[in-house]
């Protein structure tokens, strides 16, 4: 019998046993590798071992000092390496294995996106329905980010041009996210003044309809050079450019609001070291990419006698946005995109589940050959950071932003090497395992990163990280 070791969950009074040959290994290829943690706390899993009290106290003290030193070192490293972390070299040697500083920044920007969901009011009886619950000055404090070192400067609204009535009246602008800028105190830590713009994902019915409008249409965002070969998904473009022109006091388009605020901030901090960081989840990542392309195409990030202000997009569970012409133009303009995706997340495979450039490259032998209709196919933009997780008892977690971030925060609780089986085969195996007694399971692990709606123990979780450059 394979040697075993035991792990105890202090909160659930259950024991976890699994074979030594699948024990998480530090430095494993294609996996997130984090420093081993041995401190104990309620709700965390700890290795059962007999350790003298004096040794525990000494170790705790030493690690507290080490943690302080590491925090100072991380701050210093970020100030010196922020351009690489923002993708100046396309995250070469940072994604596989995942660099701890990059992981930290991905989580930080993911938390900014999470704030959009926390602050969005979905109560039909509320006066702020479909708007932000809080004022700009209080929003970060209300969502638990009071120490983030940023200040909200503007709220962003979008108006779907699909007229679906809502409980409080006709279709109107919905709160989509916000613009924030790093404070003076944070500039030293970050190494530059950071302008961050975040977008939430799909929530309302018109937004879902916009997601399903999967036809490609020329973006034509630069009035001096329409570039008809640059095409994007029509629903996302509509959400980005539609306004309330029929209303006397209606909102301008999401695009107008964003370009106006970005221009204002760039002018206000002119001469400083600046960065523009865009982050979004699901549909929000599509808006983030459209904005990044728009800013670069119009040249708003170019200053005379200075380097271009870097534009970086952190996309969480984002769908495809445009065709190969759009991808090529983003690369020419220097828009850097890091896509954080779960291989089991269906949203990341849309639109263009069949008609996408990746599929046709496979049919063409994986080379540079492109079919005549390739310009009409969807394709992803940027570097891909791949996660692999699935919860049989809560399938919706595959697209949940909270699950994405939780796995990045504590990825090495349980790791299983990927054996090439697809999702359906894994699901079939799990269903068969349901008929097996608990004693015959190889492992039973309480999953600490399960979403709030999934209170039961999951049967399987997989986590891997790999890069794919598209």
């Amino acid at each position: 019998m394979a040697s075993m070791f035991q792990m105890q969950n202090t909160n659930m009074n259950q024991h976890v046993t699994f074979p030594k040959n699948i024990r998480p290994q530090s430095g494993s290829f294609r996996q997130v590798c984090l420093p081993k943690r041995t401190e104990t706390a309620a709700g965390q899993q700890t290795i059962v071992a007999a350790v003298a009290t004096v040794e525990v106290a000494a170790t705790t003290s030493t690690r507290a000092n080490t943690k302080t030193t590491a925090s100072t070192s991380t701050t210093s490293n970020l100030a010196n390496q922020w351009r690489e972390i923002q993708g100046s070299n396309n995250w070469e040697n940072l994604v596989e294995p995942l660099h701890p500083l990059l992981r930290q920044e991905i989580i930080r920007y993911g938390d900014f996106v999470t704030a959009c969901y926390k602050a969005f009011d979905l109560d039909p009886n509320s006066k702020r329905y479909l708007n932000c619950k809080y004022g700009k000055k209080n929003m970060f404090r209300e969502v638990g980010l009071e120490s983030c070192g940023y200040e909200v400067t503007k709220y962003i609204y979008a108006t779907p041009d699909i007229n679906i009535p809502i409980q409080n009246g006709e279709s109107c602008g919905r709160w989509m996210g916000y613009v924030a800028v790093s404070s003076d105190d944070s500039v030293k830590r970050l190494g530059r003044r950071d302008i961050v713009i975040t977008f939430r994902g799909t929530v309302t019915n018109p937004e879902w309809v916009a997601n399903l409008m999967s036809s490609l249409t020329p973006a034509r965002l630069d009035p001096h050079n329409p570039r008809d070969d640059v095409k994007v998904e029509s629903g996302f473009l509509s959400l980005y450019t539609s306004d309330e022109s029929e209303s006397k006091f209606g909102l301008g388009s999401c695009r107008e609001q964003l370009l106006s605020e970005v221009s204002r901030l760039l002018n206000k901090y002119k001469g400083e070291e600046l960065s523009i960081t865009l982050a979004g989840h699901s549909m929000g990542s599509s808006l983030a990419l459209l904005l990044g392309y728009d800013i670069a195409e119009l040249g708003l990030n170019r200053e005379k006698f200075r380097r271009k202000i870097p534009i970086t997009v952190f996309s969480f569970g984002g769908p495809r946005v445009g065709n190969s012409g759009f991808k090529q133009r983003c690369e020419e303009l220097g828009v850097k995109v890091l896509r954080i995706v779960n291989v089991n997340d269906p949203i990341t495979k849309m639109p263009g589940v069949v008609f996408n450039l990746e599929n046709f490259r496979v049919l063409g032998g994986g080379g540079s050959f492109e079919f005549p209709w390739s310009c009409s196919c969807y394709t992803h933009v940027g570097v891909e950071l791949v996660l692999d997780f699935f919860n049989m008892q809560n399938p919706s977690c595959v697209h949940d932003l909270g699950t994405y971030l939780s796995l990045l925060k504590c990825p090495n609780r349980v790791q299983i090497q990927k054996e090439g089986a697809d999702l359906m085969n894994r699901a079939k195996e799990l269903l068969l395992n349901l008929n097996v007694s608990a004693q015959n399971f190889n492992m039973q692990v309480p999953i600490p990163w399960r979403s709030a709606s999934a209170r039961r123990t999951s049967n399987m979780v997989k986590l891997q990280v790999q890069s794919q450059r598209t």
Side-chain angles (χ1 to χ4, degrees):
M1 181 177 179
S3 59
M4 312 285 285
F5 72 97
Q6 193 174 60
M7 187 175 287
Q8 183 177 5
N9 185 299
T10 58
N11 193 37
M12 300 183 67
N13 295 322
Q14 295 180 351
H15 288 80
V16 182
T17 58
F18 48 95
K20 186 175 181 181
N21 63 341
I22 61 169
R23 183 187 303 184
Q25 299 291 324
S26 176
S28 299
F29 182 64
R30 290 184 178 269
Q31 296 180 346
V32 179
C33 301
L34 304 178
K36 295 181 179 179
R37 300 177 59 187
T38 59
E39 59 269 24
T40 62
Q44 293 181 336
Q45 296 174 340
T46 59
I47 297 178
V48 179
V51 182
T53 305
V54 176
E55 293 177 347
V56 172
T59 302
T60 302
S61 176
T62 301
R63 289 189 174 164
N65 295 332
T66 302
K67 185 176 181 180
T68 302
T69 304
S71 177
T72 304
S73 176
T74 299
T75 299
S76 175
N77 289 339
L78 180 58
N80 296 329
Q81 302 179 34
W82 70 268
R83 287 187 178 274
E84 290 78 9
I85 296 300
Q86 293 289 108
S88 63
N89 297 324
N90 293 314
W91 294 281
E92 196 71 39
N93 300 322
L94 294 178
V95 172
E96 189 179 351
L98 184 60
H99 192 283
L101 195 57
L102 176 58
R103 181 178 67 88
Q104 168 190 297
E105 288 298 278
I106 292 173
I107 293 170
R108 188 168 70 89
Y109 287 114
D111 287 338
F112 280 134
V113 180
T114 301
C116 292
Y117 288 108
K118 291 182 177 179
F120 190 48
D121 194 341
L122 281 171
D123 181 4
N125 299 317
S126 171
K127 293 181 180 180
R128 292 180 175 269
Y129 181 47
L130 299 182
N131 287 283
C132 183
K133 300 175 186 177
Y134 318 111
K136 292 193 292 289
K137 292 184 178 180
N138 301 325
M139 197 269 281
F140 279 144
R141 185 181 72 246
E142 295 292 341
V143 299
L145 293 178
E146 63 274 11
S147 302
C148 67
Y150 285 70
E151 299 170 357
V152 177
T153 66
K154 189 175 182 63
Y155 283 164
I156 303 301
Y157 300 83
T159 306
D161 64 356
I162 303 96
N163 187 21
I164 297 180
I166 60 175
Q167 184 167 333
N168 288 5
E170 291 296 319
S171 174
C172 60
R174 278 95 164 140
W175 187 71
M176 291 300 302
Y178 59 89
V179 181
V181 63
S182 55
S183 63
D184 292 339
D185 293 337
S186 298
V187 171
K188 183 177 180 180
R189 175 175 60 86
L190 298 173
R192 83 283 188 190
R193 178 86 61 179
D194 186 34
I195 299 171
V196 62
I197 305 168
T198 65
F199 301 90
R200 63 170 176 82
T202 307
V203 175
T204 66
N205 289 336
E207 293 163 2
W208 279 112
V209 174
N211 285 354
L212 298 174
M213 295 171 61
S214 59
S215 60
L216 284 166
T217 186
R220 295 174 180 166
L221 295 178
D222 183 358
H224 303 293
N225 190 346
R227 296 185 183 277
D228 289 342
D229 60 318
V230 176
K231 297 181 180 181
V232 296
E233 200 260 1
S234 59
F236 299 145
L237 183 64
S238 171
L239 195 63
Y240 182 62
T241 58
S242 296
D243 58 21
E244 296 180 7
S245 56
E246 297 180 359
S247 174
K248 183 177 180 180
F249 303 103
L251 289 168
S253 69
C254 176
R255 183 195 185 203
E256 293 169 346
Q257 298 168 56
L258 287 164
L259 294 182
S260 174
E261 182 64 7
V262 169
S263 298
R264 185 186 74 83
L265 292 174
L266 291 177
N267 184 63
K268 179 178 180 179
Y269 299 108
K270 188 176 182 179
E272 293 189 27
E273 196 77 65
L274 295 170
S275 65
I276 300 173
T277 308
L278 316 172
H281 172 240
S282 191
M283 175 193 68
S285 67
S286 303
L287 295 177
L289 182 52
L290 282 175
L291 174 60
Y293 162 71
D294 200 3
I295 292 172
E297 189 70 270
L298 296 178
L300 298 183
N301 65 322
R302 291 195 290 268
E303 293 183 308
K304 290 184 179 179
F305 311 114
R306 292 177 64 89
R307 287 191 294 182
K308 289 194 299 185
I309 297 170
I311 299 173
T312 305
V313 178
F314 289 97
S315 167
F316 297 89
R320 299 184 181 94
V321 177
N323 67 344
S324 58
F326 176 71
K327 173 182 180 291
Q328 181 179 350
R329 187 57 182 157
C330 284
E331 293 172 348
E332 291 173 353
L333 293 169
V335 178
K336 304 300 181 179
V337 183
L338 182 61
R339 300 180 53 253
I340 300 94
V341 303
N342 172 18
V343 293
N344 300 312
D345 185 349
I347 300 300
T348 63
K349 300 170 178 61
M350 299 171 63
V353 175
V354 176
F355 294 100
N356 63 77
L357 197 57
E358 290 84 359
N359 282 354
F360 287 120
R361 279 177 177 168
V362 172
L363 292 174
S368 59
F369 173 79
E370 292 188 3
F371 289 88
W373 56 84
S374 296
C375 61
S376 298
C377 295
Y378 287 95
T379 186
H380 280 304
V381 179
V383 176
E384 193 171 72
L385 174 64
V386 180
L387 306 179
D388 186 352
F389 60 88
F390 180 75
N391 185 332
M392 190 62 187
Q393 296 177 352
N394 181 29
S396 64
C397 79
V398 298
H399 187 59
D400 179 63
L401 177 60
T403 308
Y404 271 77
L405 296 180
S406 294
L407 285 169
L408 287 167
K409 290 176 182 178
C410 50
N412 277 351
R413 297 303 180 101
V414 178
Q415 294 178 337
I416 308 175
Q417 295 293 334
K418 188 173 184 179
E419 299 174 351
D422 61 20
L423 178 60
M424 294 305 297
N425 288 336
R426 292 198 303 251
K428 183 187 296 184
E429 180 182 350
L430 285 175
L431 290 173
L432 292 174
N433 284 342
L434 290 177
N435 296 322
V436 182
S437 63
Q439 292 85 345
N440 291 332
F441 271 87
N442 288 329
M443 64 176 177
Q444 291 181 324
V445 183
I447 303 303
W449 49 74
R450 67 186 187 279
S451 64
S453 61
R455 299 300 182 187
R456 294 175 296 173
T457 301
S458 170
N459 291 319
M460 178 177 68
V461 170
K462 288 193 176 184
L463 171 62
Q464 289 189 317
V465 173
Q466 63 186 58
S467 64
Q468 179 177 337
R469 301 181 185 275
T470 56

